[in-house]
Amino acid sequence: MTDGSPGATPRQKHDAKITVYVSGEELLALEHARLALRAQHGVAVDRGRVVREAVAVMLADLQDNGADSMLVRRLRRDSEP
């Protein structure tokens, strides 16, 4: 099933849910990314899909690169006093 937009991708049913709180700035950046994907790249997806893909990329990077992954570097940086 697609939303009928050019470049739309099939929707997938998900059976698990989490709640994530983000700042207003982060939500705005996510919406800007979604709109840029549609306007500049012809990819029509919802914010949830963008988040799932971003999580998948970060988890793959963690698995492939461990301590040198972007996730570890960012979390270490953010946890420094």
Side-chain angles (χ1 to χ4, degrees):
M1 169 197 300
T2 64
D3 67 4
S5 302
T9 56
R11 289 194 174 196
Q12 179 180 357
K13 184 158 175 73
H14 296 81
D15 58 354
K17 178 181 176 181
I18 65 170
T19 300
V20 177
Y21 291 91
V22 298
S23 69
E25 185 176 295
E26 290 166 330
L27 183 59
L28 187 58
L30 179 58
E31 185 63 15
H32 279 265
R34 186 189 70 79
L35 292 171
L37 284 166
R38 185 177 70 191
Q40 298 169 15
H41 306 288
V43 179
V45 293
D46 61 25
R47 292 182 301 213
R49 177 72 187 274
V50 174
V51 169
R52 287 189 301 276
E53 291 298 330
V55 168
V57 167
M58 293 301 279
L59 293 177
D61 180 49
L62 176 62
Q63 184 173 350
D64 292 345
N65 299 303
D68 293 327
S69 68
M70 183 179 289
L71 183 60
V72 170
R73 291 191 316 252
R74 290 177 64 92
L75 291 173
R76 280 188 180 146
R77 180 192 70 208
D78 291 347
S79 67
E80 292 176 355

